[in-house]
Amino acid sequence: QVQLVESGGGSVQAGGSLRLSCAVTGDTYGYCMGWFRQTPGKERERVATANGFGTIRSADSVKDRFTLSIDSARNTLYLQMNNLKPEDTAMYYCAALRGSVGICVRDRAPPDEYNYWGQGFQVTVSS
């Protein structure tokens, strides 16, 4: 059974940095992994995702500021967030998507197709 447990959210002033961690248990070899965020009244949106081959893609709104990384030895997914802006305020979730056949390549699939989710962590950026 795959489980995702997040840590590292919190509050920061604009321009600051935070790092989110997502500890993964279970066999996720070849899965797509990623980070999503959601604000009240809005749909969950993709922040950064990696396919099963390790190719990472980030949303235009966070490129050059946020970095997704995966430490395979520690089975941990990270999201380094720099130069945070008030509009980055949201609940952040890590997620995993099992490939339909073999290695997952659909990291940009809609959020509701992802199979496993972390519990979410609030990130608040004040101006």
Side-chain angles (χ1 to χ4, degrees):
Q1 181 70 10
V2 174
Q3 290 188 322
L4 309 175
V5 179
E6 299 180 37
S7 60
S11 298
V12 67
Q13 288 192 324
S17 298
L18 285 172
R19 188 175 80 159
L20 302 181
S21 300
C22 176
V24 181
T25 57
D27 183 5
T28 57
Y29 176 77
Y31 279 42
C32 292
M33 307 290 294
W35 291 95
F36 295 79
R37 66 186 182 186
Q38 189 170 24
T39 55
K42 292 189 177 181
E43 293 185 355
R44 196 165 293 189
E45 65 173 357
R46 187 179 67 88
V47 175
T49 53
N51 67 19
F53 293 101
T55 300
I56 296 171
R57 288 181 272 223
S58 302
D60 288 341
S61 59
V62 305
K63 274 182 181 176
D64 302 323
R65 300 189 298 122
F66 291 11
T67 303
L68 181 157
S69 61
I70 300 173
D71 185 335
S72 299
R74 297 185 177 185
N75 289 333
T76 302
L77 184 73
Y78 298 100
L79 183 68
Q80 177 65 44
M81 304 184 292
N82 297 327
N83 190 21
L84 281 157
K85 302 177 180 180
E87 52 262 42
D88 295 319
T89 295
M91 282 289 288
Y92 283 73
Y93 300 88
C94 60
L97 171 62
R98 183 175 57 244
S100 57
V101 180
I103 304 289
C104 176
V105 295
R106 295 186 68 245
D107 58 295
R108 290 182 292 185
D112 59 4
E113 292 191 21
Y114 274 70
N115 306 107
Y116 303 100
W117 291 88
Q119 79 278 18
F121 239 99
Q122 178 68 35
V123 171
T124 301
V125 184
S126 58
S127 57

